[in-house]
Amino acid sequence: MIATSLRAWILDLYPGNEGIVLWLKAEDGRALRAVDRFPMTFFLAGEGPDLRAAWKELAGWKKGLRLARERRFEIHLGEEIDLLAVTAPDPIAYRAAVREALKRWPPGAGDGTGLSFYNADLDPAIVYGIERGVFPLADCRFTLEGERVLGVETDQTRWDLDAAPPPFCVLTLRLAGELRDPSRGYRAPLEIASPAGTRSLAWDSPRELVQTVRETLLAADPDVLLTAWGDSFLLPELLRLSSEQRIDLPLNRDARRDVLRKSERSYFSYGRIVHRASSVWLFGRLHIDRQTTFLADEYGLDGLVELARTTLQPLQQVARTSSGTGISSMQVAEAYRRGWLIPFRKRQPEDFKTALELVRADKGGLTFQPEPGLYEHVLELDFASMYPSLMVKYNLSAETVGRPCPQCLAGQNGGPAVIPEIGYPVCQCRKGIVPLTLEPLLTKRLALKRAARALPEGPEREVLRRRQVALKWLLVTCFGYLGYKNARFGRIEAHESTTACGRDTLLQAKEIAEARGYRFLHAITDALWVRREGSTDEDHQALVEEIGRTTGVRIDIEGVYRWLAFPPSRQYAASPVANRYFGAFEDGKIKMRGIEARRHDTIRWIRDAQVEMLEILARAQNAAEYRALLEEEVFALARVRLEELRRGAVPPRMLAICHRLSHPPEEYRTNLPVALAARELAARGVHLAPGESVEYVLTLGGGARPYDAWRETDCVDTARYRELFLRMLESLTMPAGLDRAKIVARLEGVGQEELPGMPPRLEWWQPGPVEQTDPVPVVASIREWKLEEAIKARG
């Protein structure tokens, strides 16, 4: 067979019995299958007699394994060790051999062998990319003999800024109309959008529906199948119908593989129950479900392509895994590229500490609480990727913190660095795996941000923005992953060192700002807010340059606020809340954190109202105009929105509350709204697992009805929604000195007059048990209350 040359993008890759199976997107639009024979190796470490015994036993397995003795670098020990290398002929055989070896010599079994495993659970796609010098979605030159890959090379790198993605052909499947979970009983026609156009098909004609989907797949031959609820409903339902109708549905391009379906699961992570939905994986074609893709709304398909290239994970895998998995993949790739051993499991326990040492070390990030109120001409400064930058600057990694090498101790390279406040020594003679991984990532993100700023508003700038946002989430995750209990390259001392360096850096910035005459208002971890009357842009730039020069960490001006509001705590009016603030920059753009419009659990009616109110307040040039707009326009808008609620003019969709289940429906012991809604859905045959979200609407009598079961005859509990609305309004008014009593007074048009004897926070207004079905008024009438009080006074 004659060898041919081909230029193509690597669309997909996965392990097979022949080696690594690749699907290539050629320049002319064709999708081609190719196979590259690819052996994989894992290692056993231990004492000489144990390794010799393992060699003899493995040699008798007759599974095509090749055995050899090697020495490789073990990063936690800081030296090379003796190993038994076990090479399998292909990735499938590699996984089978690892499983059998783990059964035979389980780690920590205490059987006297003391064997340790390395490189035993590697992702074949990542290993292939490192070995061949390529990566997913790379533009490559292939030499092929039929389907067999004879050679592959690329001029691109994972760090290129201008690499174009493949010319994807995309087919979209979703239910027409409102985006709702069909597993809760919602049905609408199936909408199929392809390059040839869009069609809608009813589910009551299953044969026609399946046949149309089949014909569309064959005609378009899409590279990407983009769905909404495709993992949990659409694709499983289409596969079920195709089986019933005996019509082959070519979801896979690779006809030799069946569609892979992974089961759902619920697990506990960082103090909450998380639900991972079932998933449908395709071979040769990429399935992306926008409902299960991690942060897809933040960075879209452009961001997913960036993550696939940077982390070496195939696009379909990137779409279903977290940023922590991406960082772990990059660390594994960096260690593998350098020939370092990759531990099978984390074996670095936390060092022993006294109680005082623990208190000193485990403090976390530094926060200065702001004084609640409304401020003018405030400068916000943000350290650019502070924690990742500090990890690179101080060489913070599991194998370097508290592990100075003999050369360091002898004074070479200036000796070990010492972490401020906690005193951990850090080796400076060898660069840690974490800084090695993060340094090019930081450089690339900064370059993307600069390239985006140089472009005018438009599609090209938006693509760059999405790419850098995707990388931002990798950098955000890397700090938490450094202290994650199962991170193979993590260690809590490195995590503590990062926060200690962060505290020291923030304190330096505070002292520099105060020395330049700025008043310090607030700081949290990697950002600070300061103001100085009459300061200019030149003053701000000089401040930034001095902080960056002194700390060695890049710091940027986030912006100058016309006004900035720090709302107080609702429980204690004099106490601040560190992560709640909002303000208007000099260009009129609003920034908000922690308030209702930023919270994922805020209902749309309240979120939209608050955003509209903030757009009004953004016109204010100072605090006085802010207060005037509150009085003149915001309260008027509030009256309109509350009147719409009273009249029943707010659609139930806008009132639906989203709540995550912490238990199965039958295990709730109280009649919480989420429990009532979950039980009703369960009674309707809907399967619900802990960690899943339920949407419900509050109904009269203290009840709750699932949004998916809403009926026109159901009555909204306007009193409870009024309370949520007023809590939202408090966030905007309390920094200006208006509490709940004054809010209600203005909604009634009473003005600012004091009402003698009125109970604090108007408990008399709070809704009690509802006995009637008539809509309750917008607010209790203060005029009627005053009249009753006057009658009582006269006797």
Side-chain angles (χ1 to χ4, degrees):
M1 189 175 292
I2 300 175
T4 60
S5 296
L6 174 74
R7 183 181 170 212
W9 287 270
I10 299 176
L11 189 67
D12 195 14
L13 67 160
Y14 46 86
N17 290 321
E18 315 103 307
I20 291 290
V21 179
L22 300 106
W23 280 88
L24 313 177
K25 182 75 170 180
E27 289 181 289
D28 58 7
R30 292 177 300 149
L32 306 172
R33 185 180 188 271
V35 178
D36 195 344
R37 292 185 61 83
F38 190 65
M40 289 186 65
T41 302
F42 68 95
F43 300 96
L44 295 173
E47 298 296 329
D50 295 331
L51 289 180
R52 284 191 290 273
W55 180 305
K56 291 180 181 179
E57 188 163 340
L58 287 166
W61 282 10
K62 297 181 180 179
K63 297 180 180 294
L65 303 178
R66 296 199 315 270
L67 307 177
R69 295 294 295 270
E70 286 193 24
R71 285 180 63 84
R72 291 206 178 193
F73 184 71
E74 213 284 0
I75 62 173
H76 292 297
L77 296 177
E79 60 184 19
E80 290 188 346
I81 60 174
D82 290 322
L83 302 161
L84 170 58
V86 184
T87 303
D90 58 72
I92 302 298
Y94 159 82
R95 288 176 171 173
V98 167
R99 282 196 302 270
E100 289 195 35
L102 287 170
K103 289 180 182 177
R104 174 61 185 85
W105 301 287
D111 58 359
T113 57
L115 293 179
S116 299
F117 285 75
Y118 292 93
N119 294 31
D121 58 345
L122 303 186
D123 185 341
I126 294 174
V127 177
Y128 180 83
I130 295 298
E131 289 280 3
R132 298 291 190 262
V134 297
F135 48 91
L137 308 178
D139 186 358
C140 304
R141 293 182 298 276
F142 286 88
T143 303
L144 302 175
E145 187 179 71
E147 283 193 348
R148 184 184 170 201
V149 176
L150 300 181
V152 56
E153 57 183 9
T154 181
D155 296 329
Q156 294 182 341
T157 73
R158 298 151 60 200
W159 313 111
D160 287 342
L161 300 183
D162 55 357
F168 290 124
C169 175
V170 180
L171 177 67
T172 301
L173 296 178
R174 57 158 291 171
L175 297 185
E178 187 179 354
L179 193 63
R180 291 173 59 182
D181 188 349
S183 65
R184 308 290 168 82
Y186 173 73
R187 290 294 181 275
L190 177 65
E191 193 172 86
I192 308 173
S194 70
T198 301
R199 297 186 61 179
S200 292
L201 300 164
W203 292 91
D204 55 6
S205 301
R207 188 167 188 84
E208 179 187 356
L209 185 146
V210 175
Q211 187 66 41
T212 303
V213 174
R214 170 184 166 82
E215 291 171 358
T216 305
L217 285 169
L218 292 174
D221 190 23
D223 306 307
V224 177
L225 196 59
L226 187 63
T227 68
W229 310 107
D231 278 329
S232 60
F233 176 76
L234 285 185
L235 296 194
E237 185 68 6
L238 287 172
L239 288 169
R240 185 186 69 81
L241 292 176
S242 71
S243 177
E244 287 182 357
Q245 300 298 322
R246 298 184 179 180
I247 298 174
D248 179 51
L249 195 62
L251 292 176
N252 278 344
R253 267 185 175 144
D254 194 338
R256 309 178 199 189
R257 300 292 298 266
D258 294 327
V259 172
L260 175 63
R261 298 177 65 175
K262 295 186 178 181
S263 302
E264 65 173 357
R265 66 189 183 99
S266 296
Y267 57 95
F268 191 79
S269 176
Y270 290 96
R272 65 174 186 150
I273 294 290
V274 179
H275 179 258
R276 181 68 58 84
S278 59
S279 56
V280 178
W281 297 61
L282 306 182
F283 296 93
R285 208 186 310 279
L286 307 173
H287 174 216
I288 299 175
D289 183 350
R290 57 172 293 180
Q291 304 307 124
T292 57
T293 299
F294 186 77
L295 292 173
D297 292 339
E298 289 267 354
Y299 42 67
L301 185 58
D302 297 310
L304 290 174
V305 169
E306 181 64 43
L307 289 177
R309 286 173 159 163
T310 303
T311 67
L312 283 90
Q313 299 175 99
L315 185 64
Q316 198 167 202
Q317 183 173 327
V318 161
R320 287 174 173 78
T321 54
S322 67
S323 300
T325 303
I327 278 292
S328 179
S329 299
M330 294 178 67
Q331 292 173 352
V332 166
E334 185 64 31
Y336 190 93
R337 185 177 70 84
R338 293 175 178 274
W340 296 351
L341 292 171
I342 301 163
F344 171 60
R345 288 177 183 163
K346 181 179 179 180
R347 297 193 305 276
Q348 294 295 312
E350 182 176 355
D351 292 345
F352 176 81
K353 301 178 183 69
T354 66
L356 288 176
E357 289 172 337
L358 187 61
V359 168
R360 185 168 59 248
D362 196 15
K363 290 182 179 178
L366 184 62
T367 298
F368 287 88
Q369 299 282 26
E371 287 188 24
L374 199 59
Y375 299 89
E376 298 176 357
H377 193 63
V378 177
L379 172 66
E380 180 181 350
L381 303 176
D382 281 342
F383 284 99
S385 303
M386 175 194 255
Y387 282 169
S389 299
L390 292 173
M391 294 178 208
V392 173
K393 177 185 175 183
Y394 290 98
N395 196 30
L396 304 180
S397 192
E399 74 278 18
T400 60
V401 175
R403 304 286 191 270
C405 65
Q407 292 80 9
C408 253
L409 295 175
Q412 293 185 19
N413 298 309
V418 179
I419 299 299
E421 189 179 0
I422 56 179
Y424 295 157
V426 183
C427 180
Q428 300 299 300
C429 293
R430 56 189 172 111
K431 207 161 191 178
I433 187 68
V434 171
L436 286 169
T437 302
L438 293 179
E439 192 165 21
L441 189 59
L442 285 165
T443 302
K444 184 175 187 180
R445 185 184 175 227
L446 177 59
L448 287 172
K449 291 180 71 174
R450 286 175 174 167
R453 283 196 293 265
L455 293 175
E457 290 289 345
E460 292 184 12
R461 181 172 182 171
E462 178 61 17
V463 168
L464 293 177
R465 186 198 70 81
R466 291 179 178 180
R467 291 173 61 190
Q468 69 88 9
V469 168
L471 298 184
K472 179 191 90 169
W473 282 106
L474 288 176
L475 292 169
V476 167
T477 306
C478 71
F479 164 67
Y481 210 70
L482 194 60
Y484 178 46
K485 64 178 181 179
N486 293 327
R488 67 181 92 209
F489 295 113
R491 194 159 135 260
I492 194 63
E493 285 76 19
H495 186 275
E496 293 167 345
S497 297
T498 304
T499 57
C501 293
R503 294 192 297 272
D504 183 68
T505 301
L506 196 60
L507 283 172
Q508 290 183 61
K510 173 181 180 293
E511 291 168 358
I512 292 170
E514 289 177 333
R516 285 179 168 267
Y518 285 84
R519 178 188 171 192
F520 195 79
L521 298 179
H522 178 38
I524 179 167
T525 307
D526 61 351
L528 60 155
W529 290 259
V530 295
R531 70 181 302 271
R532 193 181 82 188
E533 211 53 61
S535 58
T536 64
D537 291 342
E538 291 75 16
D539 295 329
H540 301 158
Q541 190 59 42
L543 174 63
V544 164
E545 290 175 0
E546 184 177 353
I547 292 174
R549 186 169 56 250
T550 303
T551 64
V553 180
R554 184 168 168 266
I555 189 169
D556 296 322
I557 296 177
E558 177 70 8
V560 179
Y561 294 90
R562 298 174 185 164
W563 54 263
L564 177 64
F566 293 115
S569 166
R570 289 193 174 91
Q571 286 74 26
Y572 306 101
S575 299
V577 180
N579 58 351
R580 291 181 66 215
Y581 63 90
F582 59 95
F585 289 116
E586 290 180 329
D587 60 1
K589 291 183 179 178
I590 286 282
K591 181 176 181 179
M592 48 189 165
R593 295 292 184 269
I595 62 174
E596 287 76 10
R598 283 279 298 187
R599 292 176 58 91
H600 71 278
D601 57 352
T602 301
I603 62 175
R604 284 173 55 184
W605 175 62
I606 287 178
R607 180 185 295 113
D608 291 351
Q610 190 173 58
V611 169
E612 195 172 355
M613 292 172 181
L614 285 169
E615 289 172 351
I616 293 172
L617 296 171
R619 305 202 309 266
Q621 298 296 318
N622 50 47
E625 291 186 15
Y626 180 99
R627 293 184 174 91
L629 287 170
L630 269 180
E631 300 284 357
E632 297 166 8
E633 298 187 36
V634 170
F635 281 114
L637 176 61
R639 293 187 197 102
V640 172
R641 294 290 172 260
L642 285 169
E643 175 61 19
E644 290 172 351
L645 176 69
R646 187 193 68 80
R647 291 188 290 104
V650 182
R653 169 81 272 179
M654 302 291 286
L655 299 175
I657 298 171
C658 185
H659 197 108
R660 190 190 302 270
L661 292 175
S662 56
H663 306 283
E666 65 276 7
E667 292 186 10
Y668 280 92
R669 295 292 176 261
T670 57
N671 289 327
L672 295 171
V674 66
L676 295 172
R679 288 181 199 140
E680 182 171 345
L681 286 175
R684 290 170 174 265
V686 176
H687 168 71
L688 294 170
E692 285 193 88
S693 295
V694 172
E695 288 187 306
Y696 59 86
V697 180
L698 300 174
T699 56
L700 288 175
R705 172 59 53 83
Y707 175 68
D708 294 297
W710 185 259
R711 301 171 302 198
E712 291 185 2
T713 55
D714 292 325
C715 294
V716 171
D717 190 338
T718 55
R720 284 193 279 175
Y721 282 106
R722 263 201 326 269
E723 171 61 19
L724 294 177
F725 189 90
L726 290 182
R727 287 170 64 87
M728 175 274 289
L729 203 53
E730 282 181 318
S731 296
L732 305 183
T733 62
M734 291 183 76
L738 301 180
D739 59 10
R740 174 68 69 92
K742 294 177 181 177
I743 292 173
V744 176
R746 279 156 177 74
L747 290 174
E748 272 293 283
V750 174
Q752 300 184 29
E753 63 179 309
E754 292 295 328
L755 303 177
M758 184 179 292
R761 294 184 61 82
L762 301 184
E763 284 83 359
W764 54 271
W765 184 86
Q766 303 300 326
V770 179
E771 299 178 357
Q772 77 285 348
T773 58
D774 295 332
V776 293
V778 175
V779 291
S781 173
I782 294 179
R783 295 183 183 88
E784 292 177 5
W785 177 82
K786 290 178 67 178
L787 179 59
E788 290 175 3
E789 291 298 306
I791 293 172
K792 290 177 184 177
R794 291 179 183 177

